[in-house]
Amino acid sequence: MPSSARNRPVQQRSLATIDKILDAATRLLIGSGYVGLTTNRVAAEAEVGIGTVYRYFADKNELLGALRDRASARMTKELIRAIGTSVALEPAAGIRRMFVCLVEALERDRGIIRALASEVPIGLQSNILPAVEAQLAQFCRFFMATHRPDLSDAEIEEYVYLGMALTFSASLRIAIEREPEMDRERLIDHAVGVLTAWLGPPRNRIRTAEPARAAPSLIE
């Protein structure tokens, strides 16, 4: 249930109505973009009364927030499944598995992601998918600690800070903004190559012993 809904549905029928409205809003975003998304058009597309839309959403920005929550929940679950096997792989293979998972998830929700990334007015989109980014950051920290034991905690945070920007920028460009003549698989190969090279091999210096680092908490 989206946190932005005006009335929280408790019956299955209400939940089904919410999904119907959100599905309609998704189709409109894909076809017409953020500018073409209006509550009246959503009501018509969902085949419900405008009053039904307003029962749960005050305006189209609340609709967009609910769509973001739904997309974020799906993507987080997919990332959690990928994380389980990625950490134990060789660096290039682990990075590729996570990166492909992220690209595929963004592609499936391309309409809402495009709206959040480029069409929503400044001030409404400060962090496109905060829950997804938080989960990915946890993976990055554990991945770096596993494959770069020579790094200090401060250095790991610096790698994560920059790595998140590189990863999201590249995955968004491939999933959402790719030019028609560009090959998707080659772009993924290039991105994984850059991220793997950026990770680099461990230096000779191994950091002093620190408390054992626990695996990231993965909460569905």
Side-chain angles (χ1 to χ4, degrees):
M1 171 57 222
S3 59
S4 58
R6 303 179 77 183
N7 296 328
R8 296 179 179 275
V10 294
Q11 297 181 349
Q12 194 62 38
R13 175 183 289 182
S14 296
L15 293 171
T17 301
I18 287 282
D19 283 338
K20 190 175 182 180
I21 291 170
L22 294 180
D23 289 342
T26 299
R27 292 193 296 272
L28 288 173
L29 273 175
I30 293 172
S32 305
Y34 177 79
V35 174
L37 181 70
T38 68
T39 51
N40 282 319
R41 292 188 67 188
V42 169
E45 179 71 20
E47 299 181 336
V48 299
I50 187 64
T52 300
V53 174
Y54 283 129
R55 183 181 306 158
Y56 302 111
F57 305 100
D59 53 33
K60 73 176 188 178
N61 290 325
E62 279 203 357
L63 269 169
L64 196 62
L67 287 171
R68 179 178 65 180
D69 290 346
R70 189 167 72 164
S72 181
R74 280 197 298 257
M75 292 174 67
T76 299
K77 287 182 179 180
E78 291 170 10
L79 285 173
I80 287 171
R81 286 194 292 268
I83 285 171
T85 55
S86 295
V87 173
L89 297 174
E90 288 299 312
I95 290 172
R96 182 179 181 84
R97 179 163 296 182
M98 289 301 300
F99 190 81
V100 169
C101 177
L102 184 58
V103 169
E104 290 177 346
L106 291 169
E107 288 173 336
R108 277 192 292 274
D109 286 296
R110 120 175 347 104
I112 177 65
I113 302 303
R114 181 180 287 113
L116 289 168
S118 61
E119 297 188 40
V120 179
I122 297 298
L124 297 178
Q125 60 160 332
S126 58
N127 197 355
I128 295 176
L129 295 166
V132 173
E133 292 188 30
Q135 191 66 64
L136 189 60
Q138 284 290 83
F139 163 77
C140 288
R141 289 186 184 95
F142 191 64
F143 192 86
M144 293 298 301
T146 300
H147 295 287
R148 289 295 306 272
D150 56 303
L151 298 177
S152 67
D153 287 342
E155 288 173 314
I156 286 177
E157 286 304 311
E158 291 163 358
Y159 267 82
V160 171
Y161 177 74
L162 294 175
M164 292 292 294
L166 292 170
T167 301
F168 262 92
S169 176
S171 59
L172 281 169
R173 289 183 72 83
I174 294 171
I176 309 299
E177 302 172 352
R178 184 175 74 252
E179 297 293 338
E181 68 275 11
M182 292 185 176
D183 184 83
R184 176 184 182 273
E185 294 308 310
R186 277 202 305 270
L187 288 174
I188 289 175
D189 288 340
H190 297 330
V192 171
V194 168
L195 290 168
T196 303
W198 174 73
L199 172 66
R203 299 173 300 208
N204 291 330
R205 175 179 64 81
I206 303 298
R207 60 180 176 174
T208 57
E210 296 176 355
R213 187 180 297 271
S217 174
L218 308 179
I219 302 175
E220 298 197 35

